[in-house]
Amino acid sequence: MATNEYEVDGLKMMEELTINAHQVQEQVLGEILKRNAETEYLKGFLNGQSGKQLFKNNVPVVTYEDIKPYVDRIANGEPSDILLAEPVIEFHRSSGTSGGQPKLIPATVELSKKMAVFHTLSASVLNKHFGDLNRAGKSMELMFVKPEIETPSGLKARSVTTSLFKDNGFRNILPMLYTSPIETILCLDINQSMYCQLLVGLIQRDEVVRIGSIFASTLLRAINFIEDHWKELCSNIKTGYLSDRITDSGCKNALSLIMKPDPELADSIENICGCRSWEGIIRKLWPKAKYIGAVTTGVMRQYTTALDFYSGGLPLVSSFYGCSEAICGINLEPLDKPADVSYTILPNMAYFEFLPVKKHRVSMTQEVQFNGVSEQESIEMNSNNEDIEPVDLVNVKLGQFYELVVTTFTGLYRYRVRDILMVTGFHNNTPQFRFVERENVILSVDADKTSEADLLKAVTEAKTLLEPLGFILTAYTSYGDMSSTPGHYVLFWELKVKEDNDNKELDPKMMAECCSRMEESLNYTYKIYRQQNAIAPLEIRVVKQGTFDALMDYYVSQGASMNQYKAPSCIKSKEALKILDSRVIGKFFSLKTPL
Ligand code: AMP
């Protein structure tokens, strides 16, 4: 039931948009073309005209590399209108951690307007399910910024989240809605920022109605952080004095306004954190929280087992799908489990097209079920998509896989986002998609190709062997090891013991079984190559706790934003590999040839 006018408006808008998806998309494309027909980029293809059919016939589907020369020219001082009519006010740096390097995406005033509309829609959906939480209390949302870079033309290049957190509108609402003071968010030292945000979140624990971060990896990192620092946090709460480790003046000032000695609160937190098992710790620490908000689909799925363990039954709500390029979709069923989440595309945010992804017709396929749709899932990665025509939003087919292509108000025309999505249903006339995987992340040591989704499936099956033994897989990544012939797959696994019991040892036989289970679950080509000894047995390297935090630190030091960080599913960087290899505590190999 709708609870207020704001919510009713949002839900009504959502219905109108999804009923009129086709018309809205036509309007969006018409508007983008009308505004930008005279840009150097579009003129090259459309000769100053703005016809939609001409656009479809003449404007090529491109990747970031194709528009990069234009972006670089604007960054170096040429006027924005070589690419887009509206002035570029800054660039947004994509995270670049799941695949390639950070990209610079032009941002305009129009983008902020779209963002505001999205917040209305998103809030109305969440309010419908959880009531108006803004009235009930505050969110403990972990938010971080990255240093800004200035382009030679003087434009800022920063992550989209840094831009959002520095926005005046956001700063104004922050104290009412969130536990973190702005100074703790703007602190560039991630550890100090994390410490202070958790400290204020604990001090205000009775007001907290929602816990969140943009992506699930950040939240899990926060729990690990509390595990390492709870005694110090409690001591600060008890005495009212902030630890000397916090040297950032903004944080010190902000905390001095909030902290006062509170031995009773410190004792209750100490009692909770001192328990042998941390099962349900989030709910115990924040008893009024109604849900955990963080993206838990795609590569974030790997964190859901650990988050379920810590959450104490709080729903994990993955509410949006988007990227630095555009806001794309919204989850209309926030209570769906991460594995079942679909996003409804928002037809007013950009013009969306979909490149059908060719299926790889091999005898070995896997059955998947979504909303009653049974589909043979097997994707040929990097198939020659250039020859295939993209289809419009309203023409996608149930059960089909597509790569997302966007045309935005910010100078991206038929731009491949490189995400693979599968159609799971429709809301009114608008398709809903499951996020399948990043398109360009492939593990391979020979002619085999293992995609992000293949890997997730194999790991999910293998880890079920360990869970009854009291181990949780908290993070994983992979690497194609070619240092010996034949090459082999290496999986790095970080494990956590459910009960605090240092003596718990991994059973080598069980770990070898996990390796075999993974191999059995991998695709046909992999198995054939293994049977022919063209690929050596799969290896799991167990790493010590904190390794994936160190990996995150490394990528953040290389420019990734903590908020937008996505652990790579497959490691390509030598430095990252060194970080993992230096923390290995056990190596296990598959002892069977997969059938
Ligand atoms: P960025 O370029 O840093 O803005 O990251 C955007 C990318 O994050 C997208 O292209 C997706 O690959 C991933 N992403 C964003 N939202 C989701 C989601 N809800 N589920 C899975 N992956 C997502």
Side-chain angles (χ1 to χ4, degrees):
M1 283 291 287
T3 51
N4 62 29
E5 212 178 292
Y6 177 65
E7 180 188 323
V8 174
D9 285 353
L11 294 176
K12 201 169 140 220
M13 193 195 305
M14 191 71 215
E15 284 308 287
E16 283 168 6
L17 287 171
T18 51
I19 289 170
N20 303 312
H22 175 65
Q23 296 86 325
V24 176
Q25 281 282 274
E26 290 293 295
Q27 275 166 17
V28 165
L29 180 59
E31 185 62 35
I32 293 174
L33 293 181
K34 200 169 86 196
R35 281 192 206 174
N36 298 295
E38 292 297 327
T39 58
E40 181 186 316
Y41 183 86
L42 277 187
K43 242 182 171 173
F45 303 112
L46 300 178
N47 231 340
Q49 297 183 47
S50 58
K52 289 173 205 159
Q53 201 47 49
L54 204 63
F55 168 81
K56 298 230 160 190
N57 294 342
N58 291 7
V59 176
V61 174
V62 295
T63 62
Y64 182 71
E65 293 315 310
D66 298 301
I67 62 141
K68 188 171 180 294
Y70 291 83
V71 170
D72 289 347
R73 282 167 60 191
I74 300 171
N76 286 323
E78 284 193 51
S80 313
D81 65 10
I82 55 172
L83 187 63
L84 69 163
E86 221 191 322
V88 171
I89 52 169
E90 61 182 24
F91 290 102
H92 289 162
R93 302 182 80 214
S94 73
S95 61
T97 40
S98 53
Q101 289 295 308
K103 297 170 252 171
L104 290 189
I105 310 293
T108 64
V109 172
E110 176 75 27
L111 190 71
S112 323
K113 292 186 198 154
K114 293 258 169 279
M115 211 70 115
V117 173
F118 169 75
H119 283 300
T120 306
L121 294 172
S122 173
S124 61
V125 173
L126 292 169
N127 283 8
K128 181 178 156 199
H129 287 84
F130 299 103
D132 189 352
L133 291 186
N134 290 346
R135 289 188 194 175
K138 290 185 177 183
S139 285
M140 193 194 76
E141 169 100 17
L142 296 155
M143 300 174 261
F144 302 90
V145 297
K146 283 292 297 175
E148 297 167 351
I149 297 168
E150 200 160 287
T151 66
S153 63
L155 288 169
K156 282 180 185 141
R158 51 191 185 177
S159 70
V160 61
T161 43
T162 299
S163 174
L164 176 72
F165 300 151
K166 291 196 169 180
D167 177 76
N168 279 340
F170 177 77
R171 289 169 87 131
N172 290 341
I173 56 161
L174 186 76
M176 271 101 68
L177 305 184
Y178 297 93
T179 52
S180 298
I182 190 69
E183 296 83 352
T184 62
I185 299 170
L186 298 185
C187 168
L188 288 172
D189 178 328
I190 283 173
N191 284 321
Q192 293 195 44
S193 171
M194 177 74 93
Y195 187 92
C196 293
Q197 293 196 55
L198 290 171
L199 184 57
V200 291
L202 287 170
I203 291 173
Q204 300 169 76
R205 64 188 278 249
D206 280 333
E207 284 180 63
V208 171
V209 288
R210 176 183 171 279
I211 311 277
S213 60
I214 296 179
F215 289 102
S217 48
T218 315
L219 196 57
L220 202 58
R221 168 125 193 197
I223 303 298
N224 294 342
F225 195 96
I226 301 178
E227 219 168 344
D228 291 341
H229 296 97
W230 61 269
K231 287 192 179 140
E232 187 180 346
L233 289 161
C234 286
S235 146
N236 287 186
I237 295 171
K238 191 169 281 176
T239 59
Y241 287 111
L242 187 60
S243 293
D244 291 342
R245 66 153 69 229
I246 306 302
T247 52
D248 180 270
S249 58
C251 285
K252 279 164 77 169
N253 289 342
L255 272 282
S256 70
L257 301 176
I258 297 173
M259 292 179 73
K260 58 175 179 4
D262 194 340
E264 208 179 307
L265 176 64
D267 283 349
S268 44
I269 297 173
E270 238 163 23
N271 283 339
I272 295 168
C273 294
C275 279
R276 263 188 70 213
S277 169
W278 269 42
E279 190 162 4
I281 195 83
I282 297 180
R283 188 165 234 168
K284 289 181 195 160
L285 287 176
W286 292 283
K288 293 189 183 150
K290 295 278 182 295
Y291 71 93
I292 294 174
V295 167
T296 50
T297 46
V299 72
M300 298 294 148
R301 272 274 297 283
Q302 63 180 297
Y303 307 114
T304 53
T305 314
L307 280 179
D308 276 338
F309 175 74
Y310 291 126
S311 73
L314 285 175
L316 297 180
V317 175
S318 192
S319 55
F320 81 100
Y321 162 55
C323 47
S324 304
E325 288 86 348
I327 299 163
C328 306
I330 191 167
N331 175 4
L332 295 179
E333 298 298 338
L335 291 172
D336 277 356
K337 293 248 172 292
D340 302 326
V341 166
S342 286
Y343 301 98
T344 305
I345 294 288
L346 291 167
N348 55 336
M349 291 293 157
Y351 183 68
F352 297 100
E353 292 176 280
F354 299 84
L355 273 177
V357 178
K358 267 196 231 158
K359 301 270 182 68
H360 195 36
R361 285 277 63 100
V362 287
S363 54
M364 190 74 203
T365 51
Q366 43 189 92
E367 281 266 301
V368 287
Q369 281 274 341
F370 287 99
N371 298 351
V373 191
S374 174
E375 183 60 23
Q376 298 277 298
E377 181 182 34
S378 182
I379 307 168
E380 184 179 32
M381 303 310 300
N382 284 340
S383 56
N384 199 6
N385 273 343
E386 290 79 32
D387 304 337
I388 306 171
E389 273 306 301
V391 295
D392 286 342
L393 177 69
V394 293
N395 293 333
V396 296
K397 301 263 178 312
L398 195 62
Q400 170 67 274
F401 292 81
Y402 296 93
E403 184 190 334
L404 179 66
V405 173
V406 292
T407 296
T408 68
F409 288 89
T410 56
L412 306 177
Y413 309 100
R414 309 195 97 187
Y415 170 101
R416 290 171 66 174
V417 175
R418 316 220 76 148
D419 287 342
I420 307 291
L421 311 174
M422 184 189 122
V423 185
T424 53
F426 288 82
H427 180 76
N428 296 321
N429 298 313
T430 305
Q432 301 179 300
F433 292 87
R434 174 177 66 113
F435 183 93
V436 179
E437 62 193 354
R438 289 291 291 173
E439 184 262 353
N440 56 351
V441 186
I442 289 182
L443 175 59
S444 170
V445 289
D446 201 300
D448 55 297
K449 288 174 181 172
T450 295
S451 70
E452 196 172 274
D454 291 341
L455 201 63
L456 173 67
K457 179 176 170 287
V459 171
T460 306
E461 286 194 11
K463 75 176 184 181
T464 55
L465 295 172
L466 288 181
E467 278 164 18
L469 304 178
F471 290 97
I472 301 175
L473 178 67
T474 52
Y476 73 85
T477 188
S478 68
Y479 168 67
D481 188 342
M482 319 274 265
S483 59
S484 51
T485 315
H488 73 291
Y489 286 12
V490 175
L491 269 293
F492 290 94
W493 279 19
E494 185 171 324
L495 296 168
K496 185 184 162 55
V497 185
K498 277 190 193 170
E499 297 269 320
D500 205 8
N501 179 351
D502 289 339
N503 299 326
K504 201 157 215 167
E505 296 263 331
L506 280 172
D507 174 2
K509 268 198 212 135
M510 189 52 85
M511 288 307 296
E513 193 52 39
C514 287
C515 297
S516 305
R517 187 66 73 88
M518 280 207 62
E519 291 199 305
E520 271 155 28
S521 153
L522 289 171
N523 61 39
Y524 176 74
T525 316
Y526 176 87
K527 291 191 212 188
I528 291 286
Y529 276 70
R530 268 284 283 127
Q531 286 158 13
Q532 295 169 349
N533 283 329
I535 298 179
L538 182 144
E539 177 185 0
I540 293 178
R541 294 184 192 160
V542 176
V543 291
K544 62 182 176 200
Q545 285 213 15
T547 300
F548 278 79
D549 285 351
L551 191 69
M552 187 192 263
D553 288 341
Y554 167 70
Y555 281 106
V556 169
S557 76
Q558 298 300 298
S561 138
M562 176 93 154
N563 289 297
Q564 291 165 238
Y565 175 77
K566 289 138 216 116
S569 296
C570 181
I571 297 286
K572 312 272 182 200
S573 135
K574 279 193 184 135
E575 280 306 311
L577 189 63
K578 257 195 223 157
I579 291 170
L580 293 165
D581 265 335
S582 63
R583 291 165 171 84
V584 170
I585 50 174
K587 295 184 175 186
F588 308 92
F589 291 88
S590 168
L591 301 175
K592 289 187 262 183
T593 308
L595 297 173

